[in-house]
Amino acid sequence: MTAGLAGCLALAVLAGGISLRLLYAGDPKPGTLTRGRDAVWLGHAWVDGRNGEPELATLARRVRGTGIRDLYVHAGPLEHNGTLPAARYPRAAWLLKTVHRELPGVRVQAWLGDKLATEGPTGLRLGDRDSRAHIVRSARQVLDAGFDGVHFDLEPMHSGDRDFLSLLDDLHALTRSRHVPLSVAAHQIDPLPGLHSVAGFVANHPKWWSQKYFGQVARRVDQIAVMSYDTSMPLESLYGGYVAQQTELALEATPPDTDLLMGLPGYHTDNFGRHAWAETVAAAVRGTRLGLGREDRGRERFGVALYVDFAATPGDWTAYRRGWGAPTAE
């Protein structure tokens, strides 16, 4: 029985690998290039005083001529009760003024997040109504400080969490009234139906969201960015195929009036969940283009998002530029 089970698992892994490799095959379709709706995650050094004019000049050189429209600048983290001390972003005014001067048309969104108490005793509890109210007030606080939108990354977020949906409804009411975008970082979608339930049962970490839940989140925001990295894929071709699959699944679930962005892994750590030789920006861009071409080639509200500025190498930026192209001139 044990040998038979092991054999079945081996066959399942082999079949999955072949499927992903096939998804990475072929050439990207013409026109599957930037729509001018891309983004990059920026670290906390931009708002706490560590970065200044020289670093901003380097960032501006990297961003100019690309499709990057949004900078997600880390302005948190939130406290576990949802509040945000203003002392966490003392240089925000300088950053906003300088970016708007050097990169006209580029938006600076406040990236807020915290660890959730979904898999341990400590963290932010979205089931607490007061904490959700504090998060909304924190969003209002950064908008009052001049940020052009709010980007949330709350992890680990379990598929089906209704309190998160309620929070997004409240946040979107705020951002709509200010005419600014509400953006979220999203978990990956089940590559096999119900896989998040299996992972939750086995490891108490349901890594993925159901496609249905992804769609419920996407309908409540203006922009959703898939964290399409940390996949444990051992080969670049398998990772690229996985990104192609994730792109197709996300396109199926995202309404046409929501911006969908696929994450690019511009960092180089190696551990069980990530192999830097496999998870490359080039493979993610190619997988994104393949998925876009197969599922919704003409979709305009689509882009990629590079994670993260302080770890991305010049090679990562080059792979993004060469693979995803420059905006088409009007």
Side-chain angles (χ1 to χ4, degrees):
M1 179 69 73
T2 302
L5 179 59
C8 289
L9 289 174
L11 287 173
V13 170
L14 177 61
I18 292 173
S19 174
L20 292 179
R21 183 62 187 85
L22 290 174
L23 285 171
Y24 198 56
D27 296 322
K29 296 287 181 62
T32 53
L33 297 170
T34 185
R35 278 87 165 114
R37 294 177 179 269
D38 305 330
V40 57
W41 280 278
L42 303 181
H44 201 78
W46 292 102
V47 292
D48 68 5
R50 284 175 289 166
N51 284 352
E53 295 287 348
E55 291 81 7
L56 198 284
T58 299
L59 177 66
R61 283 195 302 270
R62 288 172 169 166
V63 168
R64 286 193 192 102
T66 71
I68 290 176
R69 183 178 66 164
D70 286 296
L71 308 179
Y72 304 143
V73 182
H74 190 265
L78 298 168
E79 295 289 307
H80 287 343
N81 65 358
T83 59
L84 177 66
R88 298 231 164 112
Y89 49 92
R91 291 275 284 166
W94 165 81
L95 178 67
L96 290 160
K97 178 181 178 180
T98 310
V99 168
H100 291 157
R101 182 189 71 219
E102 298 296 326
L103 296 168
V106 172
R107 302 182 299 197
V108 184
Q109 297 196 41
W111 166 15
L112 303 180
D114 191 24
K115 176 184 177 181
L116 297 177
T118 49
E119 298 174 9
T122 60
L124 179 59
R125 300 179 184 276
L126 294 183
D128 183 89
R129 183 177 298 178
D130 289 339
S131 293
R132 295 201 304 274
H134 289 155
I135 294 171
V136 175
R137 282 196 287 273
S138 294
R140 183 179 297 110
Q141 177 181 317
V142 293
L143 294 179
D144 288 343
F147 282 95
D148 303 313
V150 193
H151 174 81
F152 279 93
D153 179 14
L154 301 169
E155 302 180 50
M157 180 68 66
H158 289 186
S159 183
D161 191 311
R162 303 298 305 179
D163 294 316
F164 184 46
L165 300 181
S166 177
L167 172 64
L168 292 177
D169 288 337
D170 294 339
L171 286 168
H172 210 185
L174 168 65
T175 57
R176 275 196 303 262
S177 72
R178 299 292 188 94
H179 306 289
V180 297
L182 172 62
S183 174
V184 294
H187 288 271
Q188 297 154 32
I189 300 172
D190 282 335
L192 296 172
L195 191 58
H196 72 279
S197 298
V198 176
F201 177 77
V202 173
N204 192 35
H205 178 56
K207 174 183 175 68
W208 300 275
W209 286 353
S210 72
Q211 192 180 38
K212 177 182 177 182
Y213 187 66
F214 187 97
Q216 290 173 333
V217 172
R219 287 192 294 275
R220 288 170 165 81
V221 298
D222 301 296
Q223 191 178 68
I224 187 166
V226 184
M227 296 181 286
S228 40
Y229 32 76
D230 294 339
T231 66
S232 299
M233 293 295 163
L235 299 173
E236 193 173 29
S237 59
L238 299 184
Y239 172 65
Y242 183 84
V243 173
Q245 181 194 49
Q246 286 293 308
T247 302
E248 294 181 48
L249 291 171
L251 282 166
E252 290 174 354
T254 305
D257 58 349
T258 299
D259 285 350
L260 170 63
L261 282 68
M262 302 303 297
L264 306 180
Y267 62 108
H268 301 270
T269 54
D270 282 304
N271 50 46
F272 177 78
R274 182 176 193 277
H275 306 302
W277 63 83
E279 291 193 13
T280 65
V281 171
V285 168
R286 188 170 188 275
T288 296
R289 292 187 64 192
L290 289 167
L292 176 63
R294 292 173 186 140
E295 181 60 35
D296 194 356
R297 177 178 165 186
R299 184 183 175 103
E300 285 300 316
R301 303 197 69 150
F302 185 85
V304 297
L306 180 67
Y307 180 87
V308 57
D309 77 300
F310 55 80
T313 65
D316 293 327
W317 282 97
T318 297
Y320 159 64
R321 282 177 172 265
R322 288 182 178 172
W324 194 231
T328 302
E330 294 293 337

